[in-house]
Amino acid sequence: MNAGYLRFLESIPSSPPGECSYYPDRISKVKGFLSKKPPNLSALDFLLASGFRRSGELFYRTACDSCIHCLSYRIPLHQFTISKSLKRLGKRNVDLIPSVHSPEMTPEKAELYVKYQNARHPGSYGNTDSELQETMFGQMYLGSENSVELQIRKEGRLLGWILLDCGEVAVSAVYSVFDSEFHTRSLGKFLILASLLWAKEKGFLEYHLGLFLPGHPKMDYKGFWKPAEILDQRTGNWIESRKFLADYLEKAGQDGSRSEPKSPYDT
C-alpha cells in the first residue's frame, strides 16, 4: 500500500455524484482541482503516476463509489517495441511527416477540430463552430505550458495532431484530433505510435495513454497497446496489464458492472 498516494488522494475533494459519461446507468464521481499555475515537472510526474488526467486547467481522476472500470493505462517505454502490425501501420503512412511544436491554437487546427468533432462526437462538445472552438481552447490550450504538439502532415496539409503533457520522466497523451476523411490510414493509432516513438527517443520512461475501459466500444482500443501497466487504484501500484486484468475481470466482470466496495480514499 502506497501511503503517500492515499494521503494525497484523501486531500483532494470529490465532486457531487453525476451521470457517468461512459455508462449512463452508472453514477460517476471525480476527484480534482484547478491549477492556474502549471505544476513543476516532478509534480506532474506524481500526478500522472497517481492516475490524474488534465483537461485545460483541471486535473482530475475518477473516484466512483461502486465502479472502478476506468483504468489508468501506461506504456513502459523501455519495453516498447514495434510489432508487425505497427510496422504495417508505419508503411501505410510512410508519406506522412511528423513534427513536434509548442502548443498553439490556429485557424487551421480549429477547422480540423470542428470537422473531427462533428464526424466523431456530434453534439458532445458543442453544437456550433464557435462553441466547438471554445471547447477546443479550454480543453487543449489552457494550462498547456508543459505540453508539446506532435503534428502529422501530408504535402503540407495538416491531417492530425496529438497534445502531450511532458514531465521529467513521463509523457501523457491529453487529446488527439485527426481528419476523418482518411479512415483507411488509422490516423488516431498512427498519432499514438509516432508520439510513443518520439517520447522513447527523447528518453522518457513512461507514456500515459489515459483511461482504458475494457469492453467499452469507444475506450477498449487502448488495450491494443502493449506491454502496458494498469494502476491499482486501491494501492497506488502499477501492475502488468495482463496480470491485473486476469484478477480484475474475474471479480468485476467484463464491463465492471459487478459492485465494488468503496475505495479507501473516498470521503
Side-chain angles (χ1 to χ4, degrees):
M1 184 75 70
N2 187 328
Y5 163 84
L6 293 178
R7 284 196 302 270
F8 173 67
L9 290 180
E10 288 170 356
S11 72
I12 304 297
S14 296
S15 70
E19 183 180 290
C20 177
S21 300
Y22 302 113
Y23 297 103
D25 60 333
R26 302 183 195 180
I27 300 300
S28 173
K29 286 169 56 178
V30 299
K31 281 182 171 280
F33 61 93
L34 289 171
S35 178
K36 296 292 184 181
K37 180 180 178 182
N40 62 44
L41 299 187
S42 61
L44 178 58
D45 284 340
F46 175 78
L47 288 169
L48 296 175
S50 300
F52 279 79
R53 305 285 295 154
R54 184 182 69 81
S55 178
E57 295 177 333
L58 174 67
F59 285 87
Y60 68 96
R61 56 159 289 165
T62 55
C64 306
D65 290 335
S66 59
C67 174
I68 54 171
H69 203 54
C70 291
L71 305 176
S72 297
Y73 199 85
R74 77 180 184 187
I75 312 299
L77 287 170
H78 69 284
Q79 297 179 26
F80 177 71
T81 57
I82 302 180
S83 64
K84 290 182 179 179
S85 64
L86 289 177
K87 287 180 181 178
R88 290 194 295 270
L89 175 67
K91 289 180 180 178
R92 192 157 71 237
N93 292 290
V94 69
D95 56 336
L96 302 188
I97 306 299
S99 58
V100 176
H101 308 267
S102 297
E104 181 184 9
M105 184 167 174
T106 65
E108 179 186 40
K109 290 176 193 162
E111 181 180 356
L112 184 53
Y113 183 91
V114 169
K115 180 180 180 181
Y116 171 81
Q117 295 296 354
N118 286 333
R120 304 275 298 192
H121 310 291
S124 297
Y125 293 89
N127 296 308
T128 66
D129 288 5
S130 60
E131 288 175 349
L132 287 169
Q133 291 174 22
E134 184 177 345
T135 298
M136 175 189 177
F137 177 74
Q139 177 190 49
M140 301 188 75
Y141 294 101
L142 278 180
S144 61
E145 288 85 348
N146 292 332
S147 309
V148 299
E149 289 181 344
L150 186 145
Q151 302 176 12
I152 50 174
R153 293 179 180 270
K154 176 177 169 58
E155 298 175 350
R157 176 180 174 180
L158 179 68
L159 296 193
W161 79 98
I162 185 168
L163 185 69
L164 306 168
D165 282 352
C166 301
E168 289 183 337
V169 302
V171 169
S172 174
V174 177
Y175 201 72
S176 63
V177 177
F178 51 88
D179 196 325
S180 55
E181 285 184 30
F182 296 82
H183 59 275
T184 60
R185 287 181 175 268
S186 301
L187 292 179
K189 186 180 289 186
F190 183 71
L191 281 167
I192 294 174
L193 173 60
S195 56
L196 276 165
L197 294 175
W198 173 83
K200 184 170 183 175
E201 180 184 354
K202 292 297 181 181
F204 290 102
L205 304 180
E206 305 158 0
Y207 184 103
H208 291 260
L209 197 50
L211 299 178
F212 166 50
L213 280 67
H216 190 278
K218 291 186 177 180
M219 302 299 287
D220 185 70
Y221 75 91
K222 295 180 183 181
F224 167 84
W225 298 94
K226 294 183 177 68
E229 297 173 332
I230 294 174
L231 177 66
D232 184 334
Q233 296 182 19
R234 305 185 186 286
T235 66
N237 297 321
W238 288 84
I239 300 171
E240 194 274 327
S241 61
R242 287 174 297 182
K243 180 179 179 181
F244 179 94
L245 289 171
D247 180 63
Y248 169 77
L249 293 176
E250 180 181 358
K251 294 177 179 177
Q254 292 299 312
D255 62 355
S257 59
R258 296 177 194 155
S259 179
E260 288 282 341
K262 190 167 182 170
S263 300
Y265 53 79
D266 282 327
T267 56

